[in-house]
């Protein structure tokens, strides 16, 4: 029945409470926590077999405040009662009555290990000579460990020095290669500059007399000052024979330089030639009138 009828005058406080015994047993469904053998009939009960068991709390037993529970089951063959309890100390179960637990090798190994750990302590407490021997063995073992550690440190330091030396050698080799490359590049640049100087050279060219007179006419002053020589960049063939400066100059310039060296004054240009060059379109009348 999913729904029940509650009358309007229903008062749940009037329902009497059922008071059972303090340590009553409860029926639970469980599986066998370990494989066991019945002591009555010899039947084997394997781990994981399901039972309807009764559970109760064990009075007067606990492990650091943790309650211990007891379970009652029946043998599947003879229906003899079998009981086992929880074991919080070892996080396991322990057979109590009616059956014996089968041999489990992993449990025996753990017990042997625990005994091995506890036996030296008991021997040292009861036998001072044994304690002295154990301390001597421990000291020797520590010395061996320290020696081995020192050897490992020395080997690592040696390997590190070898690695640093190899890195230094490789770095020096790289620097030498870079130095060689820089030296070769510098030599190539010097050769290029030398070739440029052989092909292109700057020579001082004296001022031409025609240029000085033209400058004087344009300024309107007398050519009292001599212009400074000019630097001219000339191109020549890249050979060992340096050409003459006059051979590199044009014909008109060579003629002017020859006339200056002989002392012949330069020919003056007439006014008509000057007018024709200017070509301003100005006509001079006879009566002094200017007609444009």
């Amino acid at each position: 029945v999913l729904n029940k009828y509650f009358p309007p005058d229903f008062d749940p406080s009037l329902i009497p409470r059922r008071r059972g015994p303090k340590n009553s047993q409860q029926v639970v469904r469980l599986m066998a926590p370990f494989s066991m053998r019945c002591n009555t009939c010899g039947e084997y009960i394997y781990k994981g077999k399901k039972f309807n068991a009764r559970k109760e709390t064990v009075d007067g037993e606990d492990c650091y405040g943790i309650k211990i529970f007891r379970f009652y089951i029946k043998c599947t063959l003879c229906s003899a009662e079998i009981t086992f309890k929880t074991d919080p100390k070892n996080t396991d179960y322990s057979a109590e009555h009616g059956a014996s637990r089968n041999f489990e090798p992993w449990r025996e190994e753990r017990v042997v290990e625990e005994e091995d750990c506890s036996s030296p302590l008991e021997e040292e407490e009861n036998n001072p000579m044994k304690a002295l021997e154990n301390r001597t063995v421990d000291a020797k073992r520590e010395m061996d460990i320290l020696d081995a550690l020192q050897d490992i440190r020395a080997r690592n330091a040696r390997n590190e020095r070898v690695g640093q030396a190899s890195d230094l050698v490789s770095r020096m080799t790289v620097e030498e290669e870079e130095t060689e490359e820089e030296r070769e590049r510098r030599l190539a640049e010097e050769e290029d500059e030398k070739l440029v100087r052989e092909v292109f050279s700057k020579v001082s060219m004296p001022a031409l007399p025609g240029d000085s007179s033209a400058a004087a006419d344009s300024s309107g002053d007398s050519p009292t000052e001599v212009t400074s020589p000019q630097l001219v960049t000339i191109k020549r063939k890249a050979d060992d024979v340096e050409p003459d400066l006059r051979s590199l100059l044009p014909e008109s310039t060579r003629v002017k330089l020859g006339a200056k060296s002989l002392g012949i004054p330069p020919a003056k240009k007439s006014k008509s030639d000057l007018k024709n060059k200017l070509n301003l379109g100005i006509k001079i009348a006879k009566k002094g009138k200017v007609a444009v």
Side-chain angles (χ1 to χ4, degrees):
V1 180
L2 298 178
N3 297 324
K4 294 182 180 181
Y5 173 75
F6 294 97
D9 57 347
F10 174 74
D11 189 2
S13 61
L14 300 178
I15 299 176
R17 292 183 176 275
R18 184 180 58 181
R19 294 185 179 182
K22 185 177 182 181
N23 189 12
S24 61
Q25 294 181 351
Q26 298 177 2
V27 178
V28 293
R29 182 77 170 173
L30 56 79
M31 291 187 294
F34 52 85
S35 59
M36 64 189 79
R37 183 185 182 189
C38 179
N39 294 335
T40 304
C41 63
E43 177 69 12
Y44 287 97
I45 301 174
Y46 297 99
K47 179 180 179 180
K49 191 173 181 60
K50 295 183 180 180
F51 293 94
N52 292 326
R54 291 177 287 117
K55 183 185 76 171
E56 67 177 5
T57 305
V58 180
D59 295 332
E61 293 185 16
D62 61 352
C63 180
Y64 301 105
I66 300 174
K67 294 181 180 181
I68 296 176
F69 298 98
R70 181 183 289 115
F71 299 92
Y72 298 88
I73 61 174
K74 289 183 179 181
C75 178
T76 55
L77 184 62
C78 63
S79 298
E81 190 176 55
I82 300 172
T83 61
F84 56 89
K85 298 187 300 182
T86 57
D87 188 7
K89 183 177 181 181
N90 300 318
T91 63
D92 201 357
Y93 292 84
S94 60
E96 184 179 21
H97 175 71
S100 59
R101 189 167 184 171
N102 294 341
F103 175 74
E104 296 174 350
W106 55 88
R107 294 182 67 252
E108 296 295 332
E109 290 178 359
R110 186 172 60 185
V111 171
V112 170
E113 289 178 358
E114 292 176 357
E115 291 179 355
D116 293 340
C117 293
S118 61
S119 59
L121 299 177
E122 295 177 357
E123 290 180 358
E124 290 180 359
E125 291 177 358
N126 300 328
N127 191 355
M129 294 301 296
K130 187 66 176 179
L132 180 60
E133 290 177 1
N134 292 338
R135 285 197 296 270
T136 305
V137 172
D138 293 340
K140 185 178 179 181
R141 187 185 301 108
E142 290 179 0
M143 292 297 294
D144 294 339
I145 293 172
L146 291 176
D147 293 341
L149 182 60
Q150 188 67 23
D151 294 340
I152 293 172
R153 287 178 178 175
R155 190 183 305 112
N156 292 339
R158 184 167 60 253
N159 294 337
E160 186 176 359
R161 286 197 299 270
V162 171
Q164 290 179 357
S166 61
D167 294 342
L168 181 60
V169 170
S170 61
R171 196 181 302 112
M172 291 176 63
T173 305
V174 172
E175 290 179 355
E176 289 179 357
E177 292 178 357
E178 292 179 355
T179 307
E180 291 292 337
E181 291 178 359
E182 291 178 358
R183 188 182 299 108
E184 293 177 359
R185 184 162 56 255
R186 188 175 65 255
L187 292 175
E189 291 177 357
E190 290 178 357
E191 291 179 358
D192 295 342
E193 290 179 359
K194 184 177 179 181
L195 183 60
V196 169
R197 284 197 299 269
E198 290 177 356
V199 176
F200 299 95
S201 62
K202 290 185 179 181
V203 296
S204 60
M205 178 180 177
L208 299 179
D211 297 340
S212 62
S213 62
D217 294 338
S218 61
S219 61
D221 299 334
S222 60
T224 57
E225 296 181 358
V226 180
T227 58
S228 61
Q230 300 177 356
L231 293 177
V232 180
T233 303
I234 60 175
K235 181 179 180 181
R236 60 187 179 184
K237 294 182 180 180
D239 52 5
D240 297 335
V241 180
E242 184 176 356
D244 188 11
L245 178 60
R246 290 181 177 275
S247 63
L248 300 174
L249 296 175
E251 186 66 26
S252 60
T253 307
R254 286 202 298 269
V255 170
K256 291 180 180 181
L257 289 176
K260 183 179 179 182
S261 60
L262 295 176
I264 301 174
K268 293 184 179 180
K269 297 180 180 181
S270 61
K271 292 183 179 180
S272 60
D273 295 339
L274 182 60
K275 290 178 182 179
N276 292 333
K277 285 188 176 182
L278 293 175
N279 196 14
L280 297 175
I282 301 173
K283 296 182 180 179
I284 302 173
K286 294 181 180 179
K287 293 182 181 181
K289 295 181 180 180
V290 179
V292 180

